[in-house]
Amino acid sequence: MDFKKINSLTKYPSILTYHALGERGRLTDELSESKGFSNSDEVFVYEKVDGENSRIIFFKNNCNEVDYLIGSREELLYAKGDRIGNPYGNIAEFLKPLTERIIADIFPKGDWALTVIYQESYGGKTKAAKNYTDIKTQGYRVFDVFSLTRDELDRLLELPQEKIAEWRDHGNQPFYDEVEKMKFVESVELEFAPLLEVVRGSDFPTSIENTFSFLKQFEATKVGIDASGKSEGIIVRTSDRTQIRKIRFEDYERTFRK
């Protein structure tokens, strides 16, 4: 298994801000890519947890056994059996017990050859830990999942690494929709990012002022471990994830600062 290619095809894509960024990191009145939510959309509003983006990658090896990798946003940190060892952020050490707990149930049926679980690893020694814990306790919250069949995985691994990156950057990772995602996380008893509200696309704010007002109702985090401070903001997305944006307090506070 080519770990460099696995790393590339499982990296989590960047999420655009809801309003476009202008000079000095301030938001403009324009929506990113001039694209808002359609009137018929259901907009799922999740808390954006402030920590380290991490991933657990389950895959079937050449012996058809379930193997796994643990990674940060950019790099692989651990491979089952200590084939990779990187202590960055205590992510791998923290997620290994969880990974070992669910490994037997990760491919219960179907032709899945790879499943990636994305979560925010937060608390601990992360920069915003004080909003979640007074004693540096670490936690995680799942926010996305995707799977590939054996044929899909083999076809991707035959590509040059730059083509895999191109596939990923064009939004081709087959993320679960809202129903599939919740069925999955509940079936293996995972902690997930809080769903705060579901809003009709026609009712979702578009002006920068109204969006900031909407955001303010979600100021307190819902995922405090042993403390409860300020949330980073929200992630808003359609059920099929074809439209997903981040709305962060720091961006709007910077924009409206006198």
Side-chain angles (χ1 to χ4, degrees), residues 64-110:
N64 207 38
E65 298 168 336
V66 182
D67 205 342
Y68 70 80
L69 301 159
I70 297 172
S72 62
R73 175 184 282 278
E74 293 298 327
E75 57 187 325
L76 300 178
L77 304 176
Y78 182 81
K80 184 182 179 184
D82 293 313
R83 287 166 291 166
I84 301 173
N86 184 330
Y88 175 77
N90 200 47
I91 291 172
E93 193 64 26
F94 176 68
L95 290 176
K96 270 192 289 182
L98 170 67
T99 305
E100 293 286 353
R101 176 179 69 79
I102 65 177
I103 190 170
D105 301 318
I106 210 66
F107 297 122
K109 57 184 178 180

Side-chain angles (χ1 to χ4, degrees), residues 160-176:
Q161 196 165 323
E162 62 270 19
K163 289 295 183 183
I164 293 174
E166 186 178 306
W167 169 87
R168 180 195 70 228
D169 292 342
H170 281 79
N172 289 311
Q173 291 164 313
F175 288 102
Y176 289 14

